[in-house]
Structures are given as structure tokens and as C-alpha cells.
Amino acid sequence: QVELVTSGGGTVRPGGSLTLSCEIAGFPLNTDTCVVWSRQAPEKKREAVAAINANNWASYVDSVQGRFTASRDAATETVYLQMNDLEPEDTAVYYCAVDRLTPCRMVVIKNFDVIPLNYWSQGAQVTVDA
């Protein structure tokens, strides 16, 4: 049974930082595995913001490039999303998802109408508010 648990959400002021964690059980993070971080703001479509593959190679959408960093701890099968210099526009519920997907690159994933991954975490609320 595959289970993903996201933690680390919260409320910060603009310019602040948060780190989200995604603990993945039952789905080995090996070859062809892709983990995607996505978010959904109120009344908006869910959008993928970062993807990281089994080689720990990460890619991002332009709106978070340089501010967000995805990483993976293979020993604990935990994936992180470090979010710096947060903006009010980053306010959303954040999710992680995993599946076998190649290429695991945002330049491709961002074009999907529906993110093609089968296993999802519960959401973590991130609020950026002065």
C-alpha cells in the first residue's frame, strides 16, 4: 500500500521561509520514479511547481525558480520542498505525488492538463500573509 504524508505547512510573512516534507511509504524511490510538488490556490487549478527524479535532479516552474528547492533523502524516502522568499501568491494547499514517469521534468509536466501521477498526499496549507 502506497502512502504519502505531507507536513510542514503554516503561515509566514512575505519574504519568509517554510520547508515541506513528504514521507513516502510503499513506493521505492528508484529508477523512473518522479516526485512532483503541486499546489492549488482557492478557485484556481492545481499546478505543478517542482519535480525531482531518482537521481535527485530537480526542475521548477518559472514562478518559483530560484526560491524553491526540492530535495530527496533516499535513506528515509522523504522528499522536501524548501520554500524561500515566499510571496502572497504562493498561498495554496500543497501536495506531493509520486509515480513512474519519464521524463521527470517540469518543462514537460507543466503542459499536462492533469498531472499524470497516481499516488498523492493529503494537502498542507501554506499561507503567506502580512
Side-chain angles (χ1 to χ4, degrees):
Q1 182 177 354
V2 181
E3 184 177 16
L4 288 74
V5 178
T6 298
S7 60
T11 299
V12 296
R13 294 185 176 182
S17 298
L18 282 174
T19 299
L20 299 178
S21 300
C22 176
E23 297 178 51
I24 301 172
F27 198 104
L29 301 183
N30 51 24
T31 305
D32 296 336
T33 298
C34 184
V35 178
V36 173
W37 285 99
S38 64
R39 66 187 181 187
Q40 188 164 16
E43 300 181 359
K44 291 191 176 181
K45 186 178 178 180
R46 187 173 300 189
E47 65 163 345
V49 296
I52 185 166
N53 68 8
N55 295 320
N56 217 16
W57 190 88
S59 58
Y60 309 89
V61 292
D62 290 346
S63 61
V64 308
Q65 180 76 48
R67 301 187 298 120
F68 289 14
T69 302
S71 61
R72 182 174 70 92
D73 183 336
T76 61
E77 296 199 327
T78 301
V79 178
Y80 301 94
L81 185 67
Q82 171 70 42
M83 304 182 291
N84 297 327
D85 194 19
L86 283 160
E87 304 169 352
E89 293 74 21
D90 296 316
T91 295
V93 178
Y94 284 71
Y95 304 86
C96 64
V98 68
D99 213 328
R100 303 204 184 286
L101 177 69
T102 55
C104 182
R105 297 180 182 178
M106 282 307 307
V107 66
V108 174
I109 293 170
K110 69 179 183 179
N111 293 318
F112 286 112
D113 187 53
V114 176
I115 301 169
L117 303 180
N118 286 312
Y119 305 102
W120 289 79
S121 70
Q122 89 290 4
Q125 177 69 48
V126 171
T127 302
V128 186
D129 188 0

